[in-house]
Structures are given as C-alpha cells and as structure tokens.
Amino acid sequence: MRELADHRASPTPAERWAELTRLLIGAERDRLTRVERRLDDPSLGLDAVSDALPDAIHRRAKDPALGAALGPVVGEAIKASVRRDPQPVVDAIFPVIGPAIRRAISSAFGELVQSINTTLEHSFSPRGIGWRIEAMRTGKSFAEVVLRHSLRFRVEQVFLVHRVTGLLVTHVSAPGVKALPPEMVAGMLTALGDFARDTFEMSVQEGLDSFALGDLTVWVEQGPAVMLAAVIRGHAPLALRETLQQAVEEVQRVHATDLDAFATSGRAFIVRDGIIESCLVSQVATRAPGAGRWKVAALAGALLLGIGWCAAPRALESRRFGKAVDALRQEPGVVVGSTGRTAGRYVLTGLRDPLARDPAQAILAAGLDSSRITMHWEPYIALRPEFVLRRAGAALAPPSSVQLVMHGDTLSATGVASAAWLARARGLALALGGVSATDFTAVRDSAEVALRAAADRAETFTVSFGLGSAIPRGEFRRVVDSMSVALRDLLRDAASVGRTVGVEIRATTDTVGTETSNAPLRIARARVVRNMLMASGVPAPVMTPSPDSTPGRRSASLRIAIRAISPSSQ
C-alpha cells in the first residue's frame, strides 16, 4: 500500500514536462490566450476601446488631426440624430439660440423704433414738409429722405478679410441696407491694397487706410492677419477708428488659431458674436432744444390766423343768426319752432299770425341777410289782446267816432255810432277769436246825439216880453219864427229815427209885482208863444205851456225832451 501510495505521488515525465512548461511559459501562454480570446470576441475589444476612448480624446483634444477626423463623423451623427429626433438638438441649442434671437429681435426693434421716432419727429415740422416735397420730387421714400438729412453717420457694412489669402472671413450689414456681394468686395479690397503697395512701393504691412465711393466712405483697419473694412455713410468721427481697431485686435486675440488654420487650409470659422457687430454704429443728428420753435410758432400762428380768417365770418354770422332767433322769439305773433343749418343755409321754421310783423324785418334788424335763410312759417291765430283788437277793428269796421278796447277777453267800445253799426257789431264781435264778451254800453246812438244837438240849438232861442205884457216884444217875433223852424226840423228828424219830441214852453216873470199878478202872466205868456208856434206849423200836441215861478227875466224859452218810441205806442 505504501508502494502504491509512493507510486501515485511520484509524477510522471509528462507531468513533469507539463509542470515545467507551465512554470516557464505559463504566464505568457495565458496572456496569449486572453489576447486570442479578445481578438476572437469583438465585444471585448469594444469594451477596451470604450474604456480608453475618453482619455484618448481628452489627451488629443487640441490636436487638429483629431478634430479633422472626428468632424465628418460627428456631422453625420448629428444629421442622423436630427433626422431621427430633432428635439434633443433643439433642447441643447435652445439656451444659446434663445438669447441670440432675443438680442437680434431687440436690435431690429430698436432700429425700427428709432426710424419711426425720426420719421414722426419730422413729419409735421416745416423741415419735414420740405423733406416730403423733396421725396415727391426725387421719387424717394420719405423715410429715406429723413434718414439722409438726419443721419450724421452710419456704418452700414463691415468686411473682415484675411490679409494673406485675400479671402473673406465674415461680413455683417446694418438692418435695411442692401448688402454688396461680400466676396466681390473682399477681392476689390485686396486688389486695391496690392495695387497701392505696388504703385507707391509700400511695405507689406502697409495698406489702404480709406477711400470714398460716392456718398460712401470705406475705412480700413489693418491687423497682422486680417483687415477690417467699414462702409460708412455720412461723416464719422475719428473715434470710430478706435472702435474698428479694437475689433481687429479682438479678432486677432480670440481667433489666432483659427486664422492660422484659415491661412493654410482656408477652413472657415465663426467669429465670436459681438466683435464685428460692435462696429455697426450710427449717430443721428440732434437738433438743439428750442431750435426751430419760432418757425413752429410762426406756422401755428399762420395756421390759426387762416382758421380764424375762415371761421370768423361764419362765427359772426352764427352769432347774428342767434340774435335774430332770440328777437323772433320775442316778436308778438311769431312762434319759433326749429332752427338749424343745412347745405350751408340757415333753416328757420315756426308759426306766424298773419297780423304779425314780417320775420325778415327782425332778421334784417339783427344784421343778417334774410336771403341766406330758408324760412317756413305756418299760419295761426294769436290770442294776444293787440291782435284780437286789430282783428276786431278789421271785422267790425267801426266809425272813426268809436274806440275799441280789450279788457281781458272782453271787447269794449266807446264813442258815437249808428244803431245799425252797433247792432251789427254786437252780432259779430262774439264770433271773433279771443273775444268772450262785449261791452258796448258806452257807445251813444249817433241819431240821438244829432237830435239832442238840434234840440240844444232850439233851446237857445229866448223871447222877451214887455213889463206886465203877455205879447212878445216886436223884435222877438222873428225869434219865434226861428224857433218854429228849429222845432219843425227837429220833429222831422226825430220821426225819421223813431223818436218823439216833447216841447215844454217855459215862461217867467220878473220880480216886479206880486205873485198873484205874475202867476197868470207866466201862463199867459207860455200860451201866447205856443199859439204863435202852432200858427207857424208846429203841432200843438208836442207843446206844453209851463210857467216857471223862478224869479228872473220877462222871457219865454223852450225845454225839449226827446224820447224813444216804445213798441207799444207804435
């Protein structure tokens, strides 16, 4: 058993060889095995590459060869990623694009506001009017003319050109400027610089400084690798040179490597934002405070004078029309309904009593030409007392001896009129508008008045008697004849107008003698006179002897009473 155990513990030659081989080349063989396995399994290689790639890229980050190698791969990767899902790319560039867009919009909006302000500032000024005329005359837009006159200078375009190659690096232009072909301008600048250096035997470091093209001036700033050309409209201050030079220095400092690569490979690069754009400056001419105010004041004064010149006559005419309307409102028999102005003519409507004054007279009295007014009056009956009285006078036609008066709504009359007129007036008066009652009691009958006058004349005759005699004295017989004629006429006239006449023959005595003797004498004298009148044709019934006991003269006279004939006596 021990031998068997020893036999088993003792290695065979093959085992010893294997052990020796393992000891001599075992490690190398294991490494070779792992290499073979790694070569046979690509996944293991990818793992190794992925582990080493970040460090490798980091170490060669500044190697242009790495960038050139990765550029197409990265570009294709980006294209494929955008085609597949553009959102991640949008999210990635949003923080950069957002501010850039806002800044661009803000800049454009600022330029627009400045242009609008400049245009509005000069739109209604005298100078602005002149510019409008110039715009119409030259066919240019008003904004262009305003900009031309108000702009002191503006850098419209900037070209960044590589000095060695003469190629355009970048180009920017102001909003609203029609940009020239940048490559053509870059070539022109290079050619001009070369021509100047060759012609005037200048050094390579020297070059163009400035040149003019019509209304434009081109300022050129030279740098070691680039030159900056600014196209300027207007007269720029020398301080702009400093701005351009700072831009050149900034490009040289920031993009030194890019410029070297551009010189060798012509590979374009993007100039950092703000460097070239800082050269697009402008300056607008500002007017001194108060300048031109006198012109505005003069224009405003002339405008106000013109407006006043045109408006004053109309205002005065309107004022006169108002006065005329007020006067018509106070005019009796006129009621103003509406007033207005149509088609350049004043219009006036209302009511007018035919007896009222012509409204044209009131308008003329207000200083207004009535021919410029269209008037329409509807007739109506005014109940004012003066119009009622005038209407009554026209309807009743009273004689000149009658006066008509209105007391409230009562028509009164005074004076002398015939009974016929009085009867007709009483019938017509109440039919008049504005007359509710009449009072004609003060109107005396003209016939009665005439009879009374004739009677009064007859009563003036006096017959005288001698002392103690009942026979009239001789010279008074003719008085009795005149008395007789007067009585006969009176009786005739009274009968023609329906009146009766009563004649009382009054006889008196003097104070001589006693009453006993005088009383028979008075009655005797009255009877003698009545008999004499009867003898002359006076009817006896109308005469009554009437002794008068009043002491007085020895005479006889008449007292006549006129009475109307009562209907029962007819």
Side-chain angles (χ1 to χ4, degrees):
M1 290 297 291
R2 185 176 180 180
E3 291 181 357
L4 181 59
D6 293 339
H7 176 74
R8 291 182 177 178
S10 172
T12 65
E15 292 176 344
R16 291 178 180 177
W17 173 252
E19 181 64 20
L20 180 62
T21 302
R22 185 184 62 79
L23 293 174
L24 293 176
I25 62 173
E28 287 76 10
R29 189 172 53 191
D30 293 340
R31 285 196 293 271
L32 289 175
T33 302
R34 288 196 299 271
V35 170
E36 288 178 353
R37 186 182 304 117
R38 183 176 302 172
L39 293 176
D40 294 339
D41 189 357
S43 61
L44 298 178
L46 292 177
D47 294 339
V49 172
S50 62
D51 293 339
L53 186 60
D55 293 336
I57 294 175
H58 180 70
R59 291 180 180 181
R60 304 295 297 272
K62 297 183 179 179
D63 187 354
L66 180 60
L70 294 179
V73 177
V74 173
E76 291 299 327
I78 294 175
K79 290 181 181 177
S81 176
V82 170
R83 292 193 191 97
R84 183 174 61 256
D85 184 10
Q87 189 59 40
V89 177
V90 173
D91 295 340
I93 66 175
F94 177 76
V96 178
I97 295 299
I101 293 175
R102 287 195 294 271
R103 184 167 56 189
I105 293 175
S106 177
S107 177
F109 189 71
E111 293 285 345
L112 177 62
V113 170
Q114 181 183 8
S115 176
I116 293 174
N117 289 338
T118 304
T119 303
L120 291 177
E121 181 182 354
H122 299 287
S123 293
F124 302 103
S125 64
R127 187 167 58 174
I129 295 174
W131 290 349
R132 284 191 179 277
I133 296 175
E134 180 181 344
M136 291 186 291
R137 182 172 51 81
T138 60
K140 298 180 179 178
S141 66
F142 178 63
E144 185 178 357
V145 174
V146 171
L147 193 63
R148 177 181 177 185
H149 287 282
S150 61
L151 188 66
R152 179 168 294 175
F153 82 92
R154 179 172 68 168
V155 179
E156 295 187 345
Q157 299 185 65
V158 178
F159 299 87
L160 183 65
V161 182
H162 196 271
R163 291 192 62 182
V164 176
T165 62
L167 298 177
L168 178 70
V169 177
T170 187
H171 162 256
V172 294
S173 60
V177 175
K178 184 179 181 181
L180 301 173
E183 290 79 8
M184 182 182 299
V185 175
M188 181 193 67
L189 293 172
T190 303
L192 287 175
D194 294 340
F195 174 76
R197 280 190 294 271
D198 295 341
T199 302
F200 299 102
E201 297 180 352
M202 301 168 59
S203 65
V204 178
Q205 299 301 325
E206 295 177 317
L208 289 174
D209 183 70
S210 65
F211 59 95
L213 296 172
D215 296 335
L216 302 176
T217 302
V218 180
W219 285 9
V220 181
E221 286 296 327
Q222 306 288 345
V226 295
M227 65 177 178
L228 189 69
V231 181
I232 306 168
R233 185 181 295 278
H235 302 283
L238 293 177
L240 181 62
R241 286 281 186 185
E242 183 177 353
T243 303
L244 300 179
Q245 187 60 43
Q246 289 177 354
V248 171
E249 294 173 357
E250 189 70 7
V251 171
Q252 292 280 169
R253 185 181 64 80
V254 175
H255 298 286
T257 304
D258 297 329
L259 289 173
D260 293 339
F262 188 86
T264 57
S265 63
R267 187 174 66 248
F269 62 93
I270 299 174
V271 179
R272 195 175 70 183
D273 289 344
I275 298 178
I276 305 302
E277 287 80 359
S278 64
C279 300
L280 294 175
V281 296
S282 63
Q283 184 176 5
V284 178
T286 58
R287 303 180 63 186
R293 289 183 179 177
W294 67 271
K295 294 181 179 178
V296 176
L299 180 61
L303 184 61
L304 291 176
L305 183 61
I307 294 175
W309 181 266
C310 298
R314 182 167 180 171
L316 293 176
E317 188 179 57
S318 178
R319 186 176 180 181
R320 295 192 188 101
F321 180 72
K323 291 177 61 178
V325 172
D326 292 340
L328 286 175
R329 287 196 172 100
Q330 302 299 325
E331 187 71 21
V334 175
V335 179
V336 177
S338 62
T339 62
R341 188 181 180 91
T342 303
R345 292 180 59 84
Y346 290 105
V347 178
L348 190 59
T349 62
L351 304 176
R352 174 177 175 250
D353 190 291
L355 298 178
R357 190 172 64 148
D358 188 357
Q361 297 181 9
I363 294 174
L364 186 61
L368 193 64
D369 185 4
S370 60
S371 63
R372 292 182 52 79
I373 302 176
T374 300
M375 293 184 288
H376 181 71
W377 301 102
E378 291 290 340
Y380 88 110
I381 301 300
L383 300 181
R384 295 176 65 90
E386 58 267 32
F387 286 96
V388 176
L389 193 59
R390 291 178 60 184
R391 200 168 292 114
L396 302 181
S400 58
S401 56
V402 173
Q403 293 78 40
L404 298 177
V405 181
M406 285 299 298
H407 297 289
D409 57 352
T410 300
L411 178 63
S412 301
T414 60
V416 178
S418 66
W421 178 87
L422 195 58
R424 187 175 65 87
R426 287 194 175 101
L428 292 177
L430 292 176
L432 298 175
V435 177
S436 300
T438 59
D439 182 8
F440 292 161
T441 57
V443 179
R444 297 173 61 192
D445 190 345
S446 58
E448 186 172 344
V449 171
L451 290 176
R452 185 66 259 172
D456 292 342
R457 286 194 302 272
E459 287 178 350
T460 60
F461 296 108
T462 301
V463 179
S464 182
F465 296 88
L467 181 61
S469 175
I471 303 301
R473 297 170 60 179
E475 64 271 21
F476 287 96
R477 292 183 180 275
R478 287 182 295 183
V479 174
V480 174
D481 294 338
S482 298
M483 187 181 293
S484 174
V485 171
L487 287 176
R488 289 199 302 271
D489 293 342
L490 177 61
L491 291 172
R492 185 186 63 253
D493 294 340
S496 64
V497 295
R499 297 290 192 274
T500 61
V501 176
V503 179
E504 184 179 0
I505 303 173
R506 300 174 62 85
T508 59
T509 58
D510 55 15
T511 58
V512 180
T514 63
E515 179 61 23
T516 303
S517 60
N518 288 336
L521 183 56
R522 288 194 291 270
I523 189 63
R525 288 175 175 172
R527 289 175 177 171
V528 169
V529 172
R530 185 190 63 175
N531 293 334
M532 294 176 69
L533 291 174
M534 290 174 58
S536 299
V538 178
V542 300
M543 293 182 291
T544 303
S546 178
D548 188 358
S549 58
T550 304
R553 300 173 55 185
R554 300 185 297 273
S555 62
S557 60
L558 303 178
R559 178 178 295 174
I560 302 173
I562 301 174
R563 305 180 186 87
I565 300 175
S566 62
S568 59
S569 62
Q570 293 180 348

